[in-house]
Amino acid sequence: MSIDWTKTAAAIWRPRRGDLRAVEHIDQIGLDQLVGIDDQKLQLLRNTERFLSGEGANNALLWGGKGTGKSSLIKAVFNQYRRQDLRLIQVDRNDLIELPEIVDGIRGLTQRFIVFCDDLTFDIGEASYRALKSVLDGSIEAPPANVLIYATSNRRHLLPEFMSENREARMVGDDLHLGDTTEEKLALSDRFGLWLSFYPVNWHGYLKIVDSYFPEYSGDRKALHEAAKQFAMARGGAKSGRAAKQFFKAYS
């Protein structure tokens, strides 16, 4: 890999060229721009600080509704610490089959790396989730001390679940034993030691996020809120941080 990590803070895996591409213009989102997810901020910050100091830290799965700040939080935490030799590598779900080789290329470097996997869900039969599972904690080789996986997903268990799988469960004494299919699906999520849940906001929460984008707005704030509500309702009632940001771009 042709990345000089002393000069590059972030990179994206490009499958056609089979290599990482340095990111020159990094999304500058900051922690203060994320409203209504204070507990999630605190937990991910604490985990990342432990990682940077060489203490025990967990791979993190941020799951929940779309537009609720999952990806933004990972980017904001990275921005908070990238001057402390924290590096970010984004790998798309379809390219996770390359993850073991990517990790081999950074194993043992002095920098600390977060591998960022956005919108992580898998279909039945996909092989790429096995590569992720192996890197997380499923190989004869110990996971590298300088690499963590931070992933986002709309669902907690990453693989689809079906009612028919419940029939595989059985009682052994007083204990419920899940079927082999269910156990296999849960095994991937269980390798993330930190689970952070994100939930859709109500109108009050949505307008609070909108206000964070207009801190010095001198016009009629009631009218601003009404316009923000109309914008969200025109998009199917999507009350989220993403909708607030899109409203800001359209209205400002």
Side-chain angles (χ1 to χ4, degrees):
M1 299 177 190
S2 54
I3 297 290
D4 182 354
W5 291 110
T6 64
K7 299 178 181 178
T8 299
I12 299 175
W13 177 259
R14 291 304 190 205
R16 287 190 178 182
R17 57 191 281 185
D19 204 351
L20 292 167
R21 178 183 66 79
V23 176
E24 296 182 4
H25 304 288
I26 296 171
D27 187 340
Q28 297 296 319
I29 188 166
L31 290 167
D32 58 343
Q33 295 175 258
L34 304 178
V35 177
I37 54 171
D38 291 343
D39 184 59
Q40 294 92 328
K41 277 188 202 178
L42 182 62
Q43 291 192 60
L44 198 61
L45 282 169
R46 184 184 297 124
N47 192 66
T48 306
E49 288 171 356
R50 290 178 62 84
F51 176 51
L52 289 170
S53 64
E55 301 176 70
N58 282 305
N59 299 297
L61 176 62
L62 287 67
W63 71 278
K66 60 184 180 181
T68 50
K70 303 182 297 295
S71 301
S72 295
L73 178 54
I74 292 174
K75 290 185 287 186
V77 167
F78 162 65
N79 284 330
Q80 181 77 7
Y81 296 114
R82 61 178 169 148
R83 290 178 180 81
Q84 300 179 33
D85 266 353
L86 183 63
R87 301 292 181 258
L88 187 71
I89 297 176
Q90 183 167 355
V91 182
D92 289 342
R93 184 197 73 177
N94 294 333
D95 301 325
L96 286 174
I97 197 70
E98 308 291 345
L99 188 56
E101 283 72 26
I102 294 171
V103 170
D104 283 347
I106 57 178
R107 183 187 294 267
L109 297 181
T110 57
Q111 295 84 9
R112 299 262 163 175
F113 292 85
I114 290 173
V115 176
F116 172 35
C117 304
D118 197 22
D119 195 19
L120 192 63
T121 54
F122 298 100
D123 295 323
I124 294 298
E126 283 194 61
S128 56
Y129 90 90
R130 297 187 184 277
L132 174 60
K133 185 177 173 183
S134 175
V135 169
L136 286 168
D137 189 18
S139 169
I140 63 171
E141 185 174 29
N146 69 328
V147 179
L148 283 182
I149 309 292
Y150 282 4
T152 73
S153 178
N154 291 337
R155 60 190 184 205
R156 183 169 49 135
H157 289 153
L158 302 180
L159 288 158
E161 300 171 79
F162 303 101
M163 288 292 294
S164 60
E165 294 165 1
N166 293 333
R167 292 195 291 269
E168 298 180 11
R170 64 191 187 281
M171 293 297 297
V172 179
D174 294 330
D175 296 327
L176 175 66
H177 287 245
L178 300 175
D180 291 342
T181 304
T182 303
E183 290 283 7
E184 170 72 10
K185 291 181 177 182
L186 296 180
L188 179 58
S189 296
D190 283 348
R191 280 170 165 76
F192 291 92
L194 177 60
W195 287 6
L196 298 178
S197 305
F198 291 72
Y199 301 98
V201 296
N202 56 22
W203 282 118
H204 175 76
Y206 169 66
L207 293 177
K208 189 174 179 180
I209 299 172
V210 168
D211 284 339
S212 73
Y213 282 102
F214 296 87
E216 300 177 1
Y217 185 70
S218 59
D220 185 342
R221 193 159 290 268
K222 184 177 180 180
L224 177 71
H225 286 178
E226 185 58 34
K229 285 184 177 181
Q230 292 297 326
F231 182 87
M233 287 188 287
R235 297 176 55 80
K239 303 182 291 294
S240 67
R242 181 177 298 158
K245 183 176 181 179
Q246 291 170 342
F247 170 71
F248 169 72
K249 290 180 176 180
Y251 197 87
S252 61

